[in-house]
Amino acid sequence: MKKSLITFLILSLTVFQVQAYSLSSSDAKLVNKVIQIIDSRTQKKWISYKQSLLVALKKITSKSNSRKEEIISQIITWVEKITVVTQVDLDNDALNTFHANPSKMREYWLSLYNNYRSSQWINTFTYDKRLEETGQEWSNVTLSRWKITHERTPWDGYYNYPIIEQWFQDRWVTCKVSWRTTSVENTGYHAYYCPKGWDCTDKANEALKWIFDYYLAEKWLPSPQNAHYKTTISPYLQYMGLGISFKNEWNGWTQIYTAAHFCTEFE
């Protein structure tokens, strides 16, 4: 996690307290080791991890002695150079490869929720890019595992709330407690058929509608089996973002994995 990496870095730099410093060979090795760790984690945890890590590193720099400041400055320089796939890259890939427009899909997804919430006299959601980034990161994970899941570790169980809450906070997404609610994650998947050469955004939206209708069908189920429906109608949740990942199946079929993230209010 980001916090443990920052802790490791601080402990590694507390041996010496000097007024002026130029990078030694041992410190150059330390910088290289940390950069390798950061690069590996950034590729797995996506752009939001890089951005939040840079913020944390710059805060440390402002409170550091000369040696810490020089080493962290070197690390910041290299972190800024790390190339990470962005949402724009993923959206363009979806358009070119899967013939669906993720931006329009996210708009449609938001409209499904807000139309239903309005019909129930519940406040509508505000779309949030931070939750889109965390949602995209997690939908990428579910795609890589070929299943919808909330498990951050193999021993988590179905929905380990403290672990998931910490996962959000590691990405600088901290939600205020409102009636025992903070952040929520809903995952889903479905497929759509796209004939070659077509614009299949409408077909992809039909897959999203199937996922949403599945959530609504939980209305008559007991808790906790109605967790997705409870999210849909919760008056305490105010913000939402959606991650969508695509996977080619066969003969024109595409599988989509979704991760919708929700928040009460941001701290």
Side-chain angles (χ1 to χ4, degrees), residues 24 26 29 41 61 100 106 122 161 249 255:
S24 67
S26 60
K29 290 180 180 179
R41 293 186 181 182
T61 304
R106 291 188 287 266
I122 304 170
Y161 177 81
E249 289 292 333
Q255 185 85 40

Side-chain angles (χ1 to χ4, degrees), residues 98-256:
F98 304 103
H99 312 293
N101 187 324
S103 180
K104 291 182 178 179
M105 292 174 67
R106 291 188 287 266
E107 290 176 6
Y108 179 68
W109 181 256
L110 179 64
S111 73
L112 290 174
Y113 275 89
N114 284 345
N115 288 341
Y116 186 81
R117 287 168 72 90
S118 294
S119 73
Q120 304 298 309
W121 301 95
I122 304 170
N123 60 288
T124 56
F125 285 129
T126 299
Y127 196 82
D128 187 83
K129 294 295 288 185
R130 289 165 291 185
L131 296 175
E132 179 185 306
E133 288 182 356
T134 57
Q136 188 63 55
E137 179 182 340
W138 194 249
S139 69
N140 291 345
V141 171
T142 59
L143 172 64
S144 69
R145 296 181 184 177
W146 290 20
K147 67 174 183 177
I148 54 174
T149 179
H150 302 288
E151 296 176 358
R152 267 55 181 181
T153 64
W155 50 87
D156 273 354
Y158 181 70
Y159 197 105
N160 190 322
Y161 177 81
I163 295 295
I164 294 173
E165 187 74 359
Q166 185 61 56
W167 184 90
F168 276 108
Q169 292 175 10
D170 286 345
R171 286 144 183 83
W172 291 57
V173 174
T174 302
C175 304
K176 294 181 179 179
V177 178
S178 179
W179 289 87
R180 300 177 65 184
T181 304
T182 53
S183 59
V184 178
E185 175 178 271
N186 288 173
T187 57
Y189 75 101
H190 200 57
Y192 66 91
Y193 176 74
C194 183
K196 189 175 181 180
W198 285 30
D199 177 354
C200 290
T201 301
D202 288 343
K203 296 290 185 181
N205 281 344
E206 289 176 9
L208 289 181
K209 182 65 162 56
W210 188 95
I211 296 170
F212 182 75
D213 287 345
Y214 180 88
Y215 293 167
L216 292 188
E218 295 177 356
K219 179 178 181 178
W220 311 108
L221 298 178
S223 182
Q225 294 168 276
N226 63 351
H228 300 107
Y229 182 74
K230 288 171 66 176
T231 298
T232 303
I233 62 169
S234 171
Y236 310 114
L237 294 169
Q238 299 186 42
Y239 298 91
M240 179 184 72
L242 177 69
I244 313 169
S245 297
F246 299 79
K247 178 179 178 292
N248 273 324
E249 289 292 333
W250 66 93
N251 294 332
W253 285 92
T254 296
Q255 185 85 40
I256 61 169

